[in-house]
Amino acid sequence: EPYANVTKYFVNGEMKLNEDIGTFKRYAGTNGRTLTFQGTNKATDIINGQNVYTGIHLSPGDTFALNNVSMKNFNCGDSGMGAAIYNIGGTISDATADFISNTTFIGGVIYNEGKIDSITGDFIDNSSERPGGAISNGTTGIVNIKTSDAKPNIIFSGNHVKSGTYYKGGAIYNEKEGEVGLYASDGH
């Protein structure tokens, strides 16, 4: 069924996109569907946008999870938001993933106006023209970045904003009404 909930399993392999994930209506953007990418090793189980394609678009009611995968080389161009994940009202229940070399106009990896329950992963060499080299969290957004026993440190390295006029949030930019929480594995 084209609009069913989807789980994509990886077995030590890379998925190179030949079109934008966001155009896959069976994957996301269908108001109330669930998409999960399940891997076993973030170093080998990679979703690769090949510096051409955009990632996931979540609408209200959609749920998305990433488990032990990496998202790299997504590109929304000079006017897009959230190269790997564009969340407008959906929920990211868990993102145990690394985000590498993604680029766009706002929010190099993630533009969020929804809820991110948990991100446990590294953000390496992501960029945007304007706020949020890695994450741009909007006025209604909630982002929770958490360590775990298996991942006691979250790394933000090499993320940056390109425009001199809009140097805000090289790693994370948060609108004043948005919420960003940083939590250790013990919940504090």
Side-chain angles (χ1 to χ4, degrees):
E1 177 179 311
Y3 296 105
N5 297 333
V6 173
T7 299
K8 169 67 177 160
Y9 293 94
F10 289 82
V11 180
N12 293 324
E14 181 173 4
M15 180 173 72
K16 290 184 179 177
L17 300 182
N18 58 8
E19 64 181 293
D20 293 339
I21 293 176
T23 64
F24 294 166
K25 295 298 184 192
R26 67 178 182 270
Y27 278 5
T30 57
N31 297 324
R33 302 296 178 214
T34 299
L35 171 63
T36 302
F37 286 116
Q38 179 66 55
T40 57
N41 183 336
K42 292 187 285 185
T44 57
D45 297 339
I46 299 167
I47 306 164
N48 189 340
Q50 301 185 81
N51 291 311
V52 176
Y53 301 106
T54 61
I56 300 298
H57 177 155
L58 297 175
S59 298
D62 289 342
T63 302
F64 180 53
L66 288 164
N67 298 305
N68 293 313
V69 299
S70 292
M71 292 184 82
K72 74 176 193 177
N73 300 325
F74 285 89
N75 188 333
C76 281
D78 293 336
S79 61
M81 299 189 304
I85 302 170
Y86 178 71
N87 184 15
I88 302 299
T91 299
I92 299 170
S93 59
D94 179 38
T96 304
D98 291 340
F99 303 95
I100 305 161
S101 299
N102 300 287
T103 188
T104 191
F105 188 66
I106 296 175
V109 175
I110 299 169
Y111 180 80
N112 184 54
E113 287 278 357
K115 183 175 183 187
I116 301 174
D117 289 333
S118 176
I119 294 178
T120 304
D122 297 334
F123 293 80
I124 310 296
D125 296 328
N126 300 289
S127 64
S128 64
E129 290 294 325
R130 297 211 175 166
I135 300 171
S136 185
N137 193 45
T139 58
T140 61
I142 299 170
V143 175
N144 294 303
I145 300 169
K146 300 178 180 181
T147 65
S148 68
D149 292 337
K151 178 86 172 121
N153 298 301
I154 305 297
I155 298 170
F156 284 85
S157 176
N159 302 291
H160 64 281
V161 175
K162 297 176 187 176
S163 174
T165 305
Y166 296 97
Y167 280 134
K168 295 180 182 177
I172 301 171
Y173 176 76
N174 186 53
E175 292 284 340
K176 62 183 176 183
E177 295 87 0
E179 298 177 29
V180 174
L182 306 172
Y183 300 95
S185 58
D186 63 4
H188 295 93

